[in-house]
Amino acid sequence: MDIKLKKYSHLLTTKIIVFMIAVVCFTGIIKAMIQVEVVNHGYFSMVMEEDYLLSKAYVRENEKIIGNLTTLLREYKSEENILKGGSIGEERLRVETMELYSDFELYSKNYRPELREEENYSAFKKEYADKIAQVKERLIKEDLRNYHRLLQELTEQKNPLFYASDGVNVYTNTTKTEKGQFKEYPTYLIFEDYKREIYPRVIEESEQLHFITDPLEELNQDKLVFYTAFTNDYLNQKINEWKEDKAVVKKNLYILAAYLLGFLLSFGYLLLVTGRRSFEDDHVHLHPVNKLYNDINIFLCMGLIAMWVTWMDNVAQQSIGKIAIPITIPISAAVFILILSLVKHVKNKTFFKHTLIFAIIHKLIKIVRKVYETGNVGVKTVLIVIGYPVLIALTFFMFPVTIGLAAWFAYKKVKSFQTIQDGVERIRAGNLHHRIDVADRGEFKTLASNINSITDGLKDAVDSELKSERLKTELITNVSHDIRTPLTSIITYVDLLKAEEVTPRAAEYIDILDQKSKRLKLLTDDLFDAAKATSGNISVNFEKIDIASLITQGLGEVNDRIEASQLQFKLNLPKKKVYIEADGKLLWRSIENLLSNIFKYALSGSRVYIDAEDAGNEIQLTFKNISAYELNISAEELMERFKRGDESRSSQGSGLGLSIAKSLIEVQKGKFNIHVDGDLFKAVVSFPKVPDTQSRDVEES
């Protein structure tokens, strides 16, 4: 059985039959709803009502009469009152007058925007005096027409019986004017002396009763008298009509439910099988009708529905039941076909792609992209400046979409630019491994690729330089280490030879060997220290150091060399103790290198100035001397390794002293700079100042 169902479930014949069932069921739903609308004004809830006196139908019978009577008693009162203008309130007259004032502002030559409102209003009253007077006359005529229309409707209303009075004006459709007379009827409503009497009492339980009582309670209760009652014959007639209408509504509700169930099942089946040839078929099969663009499809659906609603509104209520079916069947069939076409595109995942708007935009984008990707920057700029306004003009009916696409395009370009900018910043900060990835095509993609290529080349160059520097440092370290062992042996044997008895010429040779071996040992030690300092492979033990004490003690240790150099040292040290945080041994080694540099290159007999200055947040130690050699090189060159102030290399220096001093000071988180001004050589060492906590404690105490 299941195999047979699968065999016939997706046949075209089956789909056509089910489609016809869906159209018939939908038409049946419309017919049932129209039937209830025509018979009982869409009053479906009456099937839940159990008693006519509690029904909405009973309220409607009283509501119309009470509405007309309250309008007469509250607004119009009498014809004489209307002719006197008593029915025209100040607010109503003011609104009508302001409409005339609006015309005055728009069309009158006497209106002066530069004047105050009061002055313009005075001019308006003079110019429009006749029209203002006519406003009141027109309103009186309107009220008279409405007054007589309401009187005529009440006069034609034979049932239910009513009597209403405000103490002056009386409106009734019966000769009975006493409350007791109205109480003789099977159902009545009485409002008098701020009280109300309703019979039978069950009416009080009605949820719709406030539609009757609220308008009456808004009237002046002092003199209000209002009676209304249903006669036996009229009440029985209305009860029978209510029962008949209820039976019709109940019948149509059953029909409506049956048709609705049939429609849901049939149309649900069509939604399930449309576009497929079997339940296992994954492909959506489209037909010529499905080539219609989906947005046009939706507009057609909306247009057909609007056409159906318009025809239904314009058809007379008496003939709507006959006209509805011939109109509903073709329109509903066309709408269902269009909806099923949309469903096919939803299943095929082409709902948005198969729209006229998408097709136009896609075509334009392809054309623009082709030109944009093949042209240079100038072509692209001209294309954007000229093309976008043209696109806006051509697609004015959907300008929000066009603006949205432009914003999206601009956002992509700005995002690509921002990505490149951020990438360049990161590369500039030293992150040479960063790659700039731009998904967009065009100049930004090319620019990002070029920057990445530059970064790769720079990274290779830096890696090569680092490798070369590392190899150089390792070479210096290894060579220094390898030389030191045999050199130590040479120095030892030279010392042994010096103790032996040799000829004077041999003694002279031994002295030369001693000098050269010691110089070579000094150079080897400097090379080894320079390599260690540059690589950072050196331990630093920070401690609190009094800079003045360090300089004083250090100069005392090299006093012999100072006297031998015939240099005059001038010290300028702070009177108070100032402290820095550094490694005492490494710091003195750095200062010792600077002093050695002075001993080697300073002009004999000149002055050497050593200043220690408290510069607020840091301590600056300055060494100044006059060079014995012409300093025809820059300070940057002097900082390089193996660079010496005397290009003739007649001095005993290795050219590593300043480089070692700079590296050692920077390892201790200090700063080292040199300045050359003619023959004046100045070296500046700076360290962060450390507060003297002991002296601070004394001050606070």
Side-chain angles (χ1 to χ4, degrees):
M1 186 66 179
D2 290 341
I3 296 174
K4 290 183 177 181
L5 286 175
K6 290 181 180 179
K7 181 179 179 181
Y8 295 107
S9 61
H10 289 69
L11 288 177
L12 178 61
T13 305
T14 307
K15 293 177 183 178
I16 292 173
I17 293 172
V18 175
F19 181 82
M20 293 173 64
I21 293 172
V23 172
V24 170
C25 289
F26 183 79
T27 306
I29 292 171
I30 298 299
K31 182 180 179 182
M33 293 178 67
I34 290 174
Q35 198 65 21
V36 175
E37 180 67 31
V38 171
V39 172
N40 208 26
H41 308 289
Y43 182 19
F44 286 92
S45 60
M46 70 184 310
V47 296
M48 306 298 294
E49 297 172 349
E50 300 295 336
D51 190 340
Y52 171 71
L53 295 176
L54 296 175
S55 69
K56 192 174 181 179
Y58 173 76
V59 172
R60 283 179 176 174
E61 290 297 324
N62 289 282
E63 189 179 10
K64 184 177 180 181
I65 292 176
I66 291 174
N68 290 342
L69 289 172
T70 52
T71 301
L72 290 172
L73 294 173
R74 182 178 61 248
E75 297 181 14
Y76 300 135
K77 300 185 183 301
S78 64
E79 184 173 347
E80 182 180 355
N81 180 62
I82 295 173
L83 292 173
K84 290 179 180 179
S87 62
I88 303 173
E90 292 183 3
E91 180 63 22
R92 186 179 173 195
L93 189 61
R94 188 188 68 81
V95 171
E96 295 290 335
T97 305
M98 291 309 296
E99 289 184 2
L100 288 176
Y101 184 69
S102 298
D103 292 342
F104 171 76
E105 288 179 326
L106 293 172
Y107 306 114
S108 177
K109 296 180 180 179
N110 294 325
Y111 178 74
R112 306 279 296 279
E114 68 275 9
L115 297 179
R116 292 183 302 165
E117 188 74 16
E118 295 81 2
E119 294 174 337
N120 277 317
Y121 195 76
S122 298
F124 156 71
K125 290 175 71 175
K126 291 179 182 178
E127 182 178 344
Y128 278 66
D130 294 338
K131 292 184 178 180
I132 293 173
Q134 292 172 4
V135 166
K136 191 169 184 179
E137 293 178 5
R138 178 171 57 79
L139 294 177
I140 289 173
K141 289 180 181 179
E142 288 180 4
D143 288 351
L144 278 175
R145 282 196 299 272
N146 291 332
Y147 173 75
H148 287 293
R149 178 180 58 78
L150 292 175
L151 281 180
Q152 184 176 357
E153 289 181 3
L154 290 171
T155 303
E156 294 173 353
Q157 190 81 30
K158 302 300 181 182
N159 277 292
L161 304 179
F162 65 86
Y163 174 83
S165 173
D166 60 358
V168 178
N169 303 293
V170 176
Y171 302 99
T172 182
N173 64 349
T174 178
T175 56
K176 298 179 179 182
T177 60
E178 299 295 330
K179 178 168 61 174
Q181 293 175 317
F182 278 82
K183 285 187 174 183
E184 295 175 356
Y185 294 105
T187 176
Y188 57 82
L189 303 173
I190 295 176
F191 292 81
E192 187 177 13
D193 297 331
Y194 295 96
K195 298 178 182 178
R196 73 180 187 187
E197 296 181 42
I198 300 176
Y199 184 82
R201 295 278 184 182
V202 70
I203 298 175
E204 295 276 9
E205 300 175 7
S206 174
E207 296 179 357
Q208 311 289 333
L209 185 62
H210 65 91
F211 288 110
I212 300 174
T213 59
D214 288 352
L216 292 171
E217 290 174 354
E218 293 175 2
L219 298 175
N220 185 359
Q221 301 291 314
D222 291 340
K223 300 177 181 180
L224 175 65
V225 176
F226 181 85
Y227 310 139
T228 180
F230 281 42
T231 63
N232 282 311
D233 293 340
Y234 188 70
L235 179 61
N236 291 332
Q237 175 190 344
K238 288 299 176 182
I239 291 174
N240 291 331
E241 290 176 359
W242 173 75
K243 289 180 178 179
E244 291 173 0
D245 292 345
K246 182 178 178 180
V248 171
V249 172
K250 185 179 291 187
K251 175 184 175 183
N252 281 286
L253 279 177
Y254 288 144
I255 295 172
L256 179 63
Y259 278 130
L260 181 61
L261 179 62
F263 175 73
L264 292 175
L265 292 174
S266 57
F267 201 71
Y269 165 80
L270 291 173
L271 293 176
L272 180 65
V273 302
T274 188
R276 312 284 190 190
R277 292 177 180 174
S278 67
F279 288 111
E280 291 79 15
D281 189 5
D282 294 331
H283 181 68
V284 178
H285 302 276
L286 301 177
H287 300 294
V289 70
N290 307 130
K291 293 182 179 180
L292 183 68
Y293 287 115
N294 290 334
D295 43 2
I296 297 177
N297 186 331
I298 293 172
F299 284 132
L300 286 176
C301 285
M302 295 172 64
L304 289 171
I305 293 171
M307 186 188 303
W308 182 86
V309 172
T310 303
W311 282 348
M312 291 297 102
D313 284 341
N314 294 330
V315 173
Q317 193 173 13
Q318 294 78 8
S319 57
I320 191 170
K322 298 178 182 179
I323 300 296
I325 294 176
I327 293 177
T328 302
I329 289 176
I331 291 180
S332 62
V335 170
F336 292 164
I337 290 172
L338 295 174
I339 291 174
L340 292 174
S341 177
L342 293 174
V343 171
K344 282 187 179 181
H345 285 289
V346 171
K347 291 182 177 181
N348 198 40
K349 298 180 181 179
T350 55
F351 184 80
F352 293 106
K353 290 183 178 180
H354 190 69
T355 58
L356 182 59
I357 295 175
F358 183 88
I360 293 173
I361 294 175
H362 183 68
K363 190 69 175 178
L364 289 173
I365 289 174
K366 284 182 66 177
I367 295 172
V368 171
R369 177 176 290 176
K370 186 175 180 181
V371 176
Y372 195 81
E373 290 179 354
T374 56
N376 55 28
V377 176
V379 172
K380 295 175 182 179
T381 304
V382 172
L383 183 65
I384 292 174
V385 171
I386 298 176
Y388 184 68
V390 173
L391 179 63
I392 288 288
L394 293 175
T395 58
F396 68 93
F397 59 91
M398 58 172 200
F399 72 93
V401 177
T402 311
I403 293 174
L405 287 173
W408 170 78
F409 178 77
Y411 171 75
K412 283 189 65 180
K413 293 299 178 184
V414 170
K415 187 177 179 182
S416 298
F417 174 76
Q418 189 64 42
T419 301
I420 294 173
Q421 188 180 44
D422 294 343
V424 171
E425 287 293 327
R426 295 179 67 176
I427 293 169
R428 187 177 68 86
N431 186 3
L432 299 180
H433 295 280
H434 179 69
R435 305 288 298 176
I436 302 175
D437 294 324
V438 176
D440 192 15
R441 290 183 288 180
E443 270 76 9
F444 285 146
K445 183 72 173 179
T446 305
L447 179 60
S449 178
N450 292 338
I451 294 173
N452 288 333
S453 299
I454 294 172
T455 305
D456 292 339
L458 184 60
K459 182 166 66 68
D460 293 340
V462 171
D463 290 343
S464 178
E465 182 68 22
L466 290 174
K467 183 178 179 182
S468 176
E469 190 69 23
R470 186 176 66 256
L471 290 174
K472 187 189 300 182
T473 302
E474 290 177 356
L475 176 63
I476 293 172
T477 304
N478 294 333
V479 168
S480 299
H481 183 272
D482 292 342
I483 291 175
R484 289 170 82 175
T485 302
L487 184 59
T488 303
S489 300
I490 292 171
I491 293 172
T492 302
Y493 283 109
V494 168
D495 290 338
L496 292 173
L497 285 172
K498 288 169 67 176
E500 297 291 332
E501 293 184 2
V502 294
T503 63
R505 185 174 293 277
E508 184 181 346
Y509 293 158
I510 291 171
D511 288 338
I512 294 172
L513 284 172
D514 185 39
Q515 293 175 10
K516 299 300 181 181
S517 62
K518 287 180 178 178
R519 182 183 176 188
L520 183 59
K521 183 178 183 303
L522 180 62
L523 176 60
T524 305
D525 290 340
D526 286 347
L527 283 171
F528 189 77
D529 291 341
K532 285 182 64 178
T534 305
S535 65
N537 187 20
I538 187 169
S539 60
V540 181
N541 299 315
F542 286 99
E543 57 183 333
K544 190 175 178 181
I545 298 172
D546 178 9
I547 192 67
S549 299
L550 180 70
I551 296 297
T552 304
Q553 293 174 8
L555 290 177
E557 293 178 5
V558 295
N559 187 56
D560 294 340
R561 296 186 66 184
I562 293 174
E563 292 178 354
S565 66
Q566 299 180 354
L567 296 172
Q568 299 179 35
F569 278 78
K570 301 293 183 179
L571 301 181
N572 182 20
L573 303 176
K575 295 180 180 180
K576 293 183 179 181
K577 290 186 176 183
V578 290
Y579 295 92
I580 62 172
E581 195 173 58
D583 187 313
K585 292 181 180 180
L586 296 179
L587 180 57
W588 175 244
R589 176 66 190 281
S590 304
I591 295 173
E592 191 177 28
N593 280 8
L594 290 173
L595 293 174
S596 296
N597 192 71
I598 291 171
F599 293 144
K600 293 172 186 175
Y601 301 110
L603 180 65
S604 178
S606 64
R607 296 184 183 89
V608 177
Y609 295 91
I610 301 177
D611 299 331
E613 180 184 0
D614 186 351
N617 294 328
E618 63 180 12
I619 303 299
Q620 288 186 350
L621 186 60
T622 307
F623 298 82
K624 292 183 287 185
N625 68 276
I626 301 298
S627 175
Y629 306 97
E630 183 180 356
L631 296 176
N632 53 4
I633 59 176
S634 65
E636 289 76 13
E637 289 180 291
L638 279 175
M639 293 294 292
E640 295 177 5
R641 295 180 191 173
F642 307 107
K643 201 71 176 180
R644 292 161 62 177
D646 61 326
E647 294 297 328
S648 63
R649 292 185 174 267
S650 59
S651 63
Q652 298 296 315
S654 64
L656 293 170
L658 294 179
S659 177
I660 293 172
K662 183 177 187 301
S663 299
L664 291 177
I665 288 170
E666 289 178 348
V667 164
Q668 300 171 79
K669 300 180 181 178
K671 292 182 289 185
F672 179 80
N673 293 291
I674 62 174
H675 305 278
V676 176
D677 187 3
D679 292 338
L680 176 65
F681 176 84
K682 182 170 69 173
V684 181
V685 178
S686 303
F687 277 96
K689 180 181 177 182
V690 176
D692 185 3
T693 54
Q694 184 176 359
S695 61
R696 183 184 297 174
D697 293 340
V698 172
E699 291 176 2
E700 290 178 354
S701 63

